[in-house]
Amino acid sequence: MLPAPDTVFIGVSTKMYMGYAHSLEWVEQLVAEVDARPALTAGRVVPFVIPSFPVLPEAARLLAGTPLVLGAQNCSWADGPWTGEVSPSMLAELGVGLVEIGHAERRRYFGEDEAMIALKVSAAVDAGLTPLLCVGETEVLEPEAAAAMVFLHIKAAVSGDWSVASQLVIAYEPVWAIGAPEPASAEYVSRVVAALRESLAQHGLAGIPVIYGGSAKPGLLPQLDGVSGLFLGRFAHDAANFGRVLDEALSFCTADALKTPSRGR
């Protein structure tokens, strides 16, 4: 799932907010929102959905033939004797294309450190999955300082192998904005991502996808500069809001308002 440089990603995770039946009903609603927007088949806007593990097989069936990419909320670092874990190879077998790694909640509450995250990233890439690497500062900083911290997170996650980094989608999620009433300001996010891209450019990676998450909702995307899309949470648990953000992304692309890397994205 290696994207074109100007691809816009719009995705949503359910975390554990929905039960099994509710999750599938919601996935069907997302499919309806996507089907109502045939321009998505062009591939410039890539929608993705990340439900709970038990939902994945049936969700894969519901998403078959649609532009929606199926994601998983986590993965193990290997096959084998790891009770309760789910391997990247099994996720790939189920039709998963993208896997979330290193979310702030995994880091804080489940003790996932940089070494474990690096193992998971490597295992996901080996299984043919695209890691959606979650990174972000824990408190409000100057944008340049926040970008420097995020850059170090990315470097650690790929164990310094920048060829691996080229296969990631970066979810920039300031920890202090997750679950907040409002997202980080558009100016702050844009400045952090711009500074981050300057650091990544030293490794030929200025154009890798960097999407924003952290209380993201409709109306934010048009205000951002140099950001490759949004990673939505609770606001998109109403499927209509997911559709509204898709419209914003499609409008952005149609108007050529989202700059390509060669023009400073």
Side-chain angles (χ1 to χ4, degrees), residues 151 196-207:
F151 177 79
L196 175 62
R197 290 197 186 282
E198 288 184 5
S199 296
L200 291 169
Q202 300 174 26
H203 302 278
L205 296 170

Side-chain angles (χ1 to χ4, degrees), residues 83-235:
T83 301
E85 293 294 310
V86 180
S87 70
S89 61
M90 180 178 284
L91 293 176
E93 188 177 354
L94 288 172
V96 169
L98 175 149
V99 59
E100 192 175 354
I101 297 175
H103 190 276
E105 292 155 0
R106 301 295 310 179
R107 295 174 189 260
R108 179 177 180 182
Y109 298 111
F110 295 91
E112 294 193 3
D113 59 14
E114 300 290 9
M116 182 181 292
I117 289 166
L119 289 173
K120 291 186 175 188
V121 166
S122 178
V125 169
D126 287 346
L129 303 179
T130 296
L132 177 67
L133 178 66
C134 299
V135 291
E137 71 280 13
T138 57
E139 58 185 6
V140 180
L141 302 172
E142 287 298 315
E144 292 73 19
M149 181 176 294
V150 168
F151 177 79
L152 291 177
H153 287 166
I154 298 171
K155 182 178 180 180
V158 300
S159 301
D161 183 349
W162 295 105
S163 65
V164 173
S166 68
Q167 301 178 67
L168 307 178
V169 173
I170 305 299
Y172 168 54
E173 297 191 296
V175 177
W176 51 269
I178 296 173
E182 295 292 330
S185 73
E187 179 184 5
Y188 183 89
V189 174
S190 298
R191 287 180 60 188
V192 171
V193 173
L196 175 62
R197 290 197 186 282
E198 288 184 5
S199 296
L200 291 169
Q202 300 174 26
H203 302 278
L205 296 170
I208 69 171
V210 181
I211 67 177
Y212 171 77
S215 303
K217 59 184 177 179
L220 177 61
L221 183 63
Q223 303 178 54
L224 299 175
D225 184 30
V227 180
S228 309
L230 294 180
F231 188 23
L232 305 163
R234 65 190 186 279
F235 291 106

Side-chain angles (χ1 to χ4, degrees), residues 6 21 68 81 96 182 242:
D6 58 351
L68 273 161
V96 169
E182 295 292 330
F242 188 74

